[in-house]
Amino acid sequence: MSEQIPAEFKSGFVAVVGRPNVGKSTLMNRFLGQKIAAVSPRPQTTRRRQLGILTLPQAQMVFVDTPGIHKPVHKLGEYMNQVALDALRDADVVLWLVDASVKPTDEDRLCAQRILEALGQNPANVLLALNKMDQVPEDQRAGRLKGYQDLLSSAWVVWISATSGAGTQDLLDEILRRLPEGPPYYEEEQITDLYEREIAADLIREAALIHLKDEVPHAIAVRIDEYKERSEDTAYIAATLLLERESHKPIVIGKGGEMLKRIGTTARLEIESMSGRKVFLDLRVKVMENWRDNPALLRSLGYVVRKD
């Protein structure tokens, strides 16, 4: 960061929370102007906390992209919820993102409840971003807004479309107004706290979510076994797709290995776009039964489940 920091420079952490599949990662990628977070049409694409760092001349906003808040059915789900709750408690600004194209769901109500539990019954600095505004007819917006405001009446409301960018500058302006004054937390050039190998794992899993159907994607984890930079322009990545059931293996591999090749091609192109280098991607498949309920394995994959 330049040594010439304005006297009224602002900086702070912005927790981006909401139920699964409302566009949190899409919005963060939009703010940063490039893709660092995996995105797919399926819920629970995001499994870990990821920082997106936006440095402006007058401020540094550290967005905390969190897993969707939901009712967990395994230890991985418990971890994901804990990540979101920790982000709520530590944030300077809370951005609650909802899918305004549908009425509030039970998971939306759960999100509002968790925000109130973490911040108190009258939380300050909470923004309610109603996403997918382009899918809500004008004559339905007032009713849709009331449905969400009834859950968290104190939140400041902004209508947006994370996909098109409509309203996102207004949202950034509202975030900026609420940030405290202070020096930047990160260097100006840094845009995330994850290493390339961690982003690569997320992008491989994103590719699996895109190409596979039914329940198989949610039972997949990606382990990076090797990430070697062969030169400034090339890298070799060996990764293993971990499955919970033997019956999932032929689905993921596909006839003649066709599905695994499709996943690999999609992932490789995304990783190359992210890293700016040519990538040689070697994918393998392994069955590890009930890995989502195995605390030791979850820790080895970076999902550290808190005990408190």
Side-chain angles (χ1 to χ4, degrees):
M1 190 76 186
S2 170
E3 294 181 2
Q4 301 300 320
I5 300 173
E8 297 181 354
F9 193 87
K10 291 185 171 185
S11 63
F13 288 80
V14 182
V16 185
V17 299
R19 66 173 173 83
N21 207 32
V22 294
K24 296 184 293 296
S25 296
T26 299
L27 180 60
M28 190 171 77
N29 290 338
R30 164 69 60 180
F31 283 153
L32 299 180
Q34 66 184 91
K35 183 174 182 176
I36 64 166
V39 177
S40 88
R42 296 181 181 273
Q44 299 177 19
T45 302
T46 301
R47 281 180 171 169
R48 71 181 89 223
R49 186 209 73 160
Q50 180 174 0
L51 300 186
I53 304 161
L54 177 62
T55 302
L56 305 172
Q58 73 277 34
Q60 185 177 83
M61 304 178 188
V62 185
F63 294 97
V64 187
D65 185 21
T66 65
I69 295 175
H70 62 290
K71 293 182 179 179
V73 295
H74 42 62
K75 291 189 181 300
L76 175 60
E78 293 174 7
Y79 160 82
M80 292 162 65
N81 272 352
Q82 187 64 58
V83 167
L85 295 178
D86 288 346
L88 274 174
R89 298 187 186 103
D90 296 338
D92 297 292
V93 178
V94 172
L95 174 55
W96 179 29
L97 191 67
V98 301
D99 178 356
S101 69
V102 297
K103 295 178 180 179
T105 67
D106 288 342
E107 287 183 327
D108 289 312
R109 283 182 272 275
L110 179 62
C111 286
Q113 179 184 338
R114 293 292 182 262
I115 292 172
L116 291 172
E117 289 174 353
L119 305 180
Q121 290 300 309
N122 189 28
N125 289 347
V126 177
L127 296 169
L128 169 58
L130 292 106
N131 192 24
K132 305 184 183 181
M133 61 181 292
D134 50 320
Q135 299 180 31
V136 186
E138 287 284 350
D139 60 354
Q140 294 182 20
R141 289 191 180 181
R144 196 59 48 83
L145 172 59
K146 184 179 185 303
Y148 285 102
Q149 278 191 312
D150 285 347
L151 302 180
L152 198 63
S153 59
S154 60
W156 185 276
V157 176
V158 182
W159 286 87
I160 68 163
S161 169
T163 301
S164 71
T168 54
Q169 185 57 54
D170 293 337
L171 181 55
L172 278 178
D173 291 342
E174 292 299 332
I175 293 171
L176 180 60
R177 289 190 183 97
R178 290 162 173 78
L179 287 181
E181 290 186 5
Y185 290 93
Y186 298 93
E187 293 296 323
E188 185 175 1
E189 299 78 14
Q190 188 171 350
I191 61 169
T192 185
D193 62 330
L194 295 186
Y195 292 103
E196 280 190 11
R197 64 184 295 137
E198 294 172 303
I199 300 175
D202 286 343
L203 293 176
I204 294 168
R205 183 169 171 270
E206 175 194 55
L209 287 169
I210 290 171
H211 289 293
L212 295 168
K213 298 178 181 179
D214 303 322
E215 290 301 312
V216 176
H218 295 296
I220 288 181
V222 176
R223 183 183 68 204
I224 301 296
D225 302 312
E226 187 175 358
Y227 195 119
K228 183 180 295 183
E229 296 180 7
R230 290 179 169 173
S231 69
E232 290 186 2
D233 301 322
T234 62
Y236 169 77
I237 303 173
T240 300
L241 276 64
L242 302 177
L243 314 179
E244 278 196 323
R245 300 176 185 174
E246 192 68 37
S247 60
H248 290 165
K249 201 170 182 179
I251 299 173
V252 174
I253 295 174
K255 186 176 181 180
E258 185 61 31
M259 178 58 73
L260 193 61
K261 290 178 184 177
R262 288 167 61 188
I263 293 170
T265 298
T266 299
R268 177 179 57 78
L269 293 174
E270 289 287 354
I271 296 169
E272 287 179 341
S273 177
M274 176 271 295
S275 65
R277 59 170 66 94
K278 184 174 179 60
V279 170
F280 299 89
L281 180 60
D282 181 12
L283 293 183
R284 307 177 180 96
V285 176
K286 183 176 182 179
V287 176
M288 300 193 75
E289 293 187 3
N290 300 318
W291 68 264
R292 288 181 292 181
D293 273 318
N294 185 325
L297 184 54
L298 287 173
R299 284 194 294 272
S300 74
L301 293 170
Y303 306 124
V304 181
V305 182
R306 288 169 51 132
K307 299 297 184 182
D308 55 12

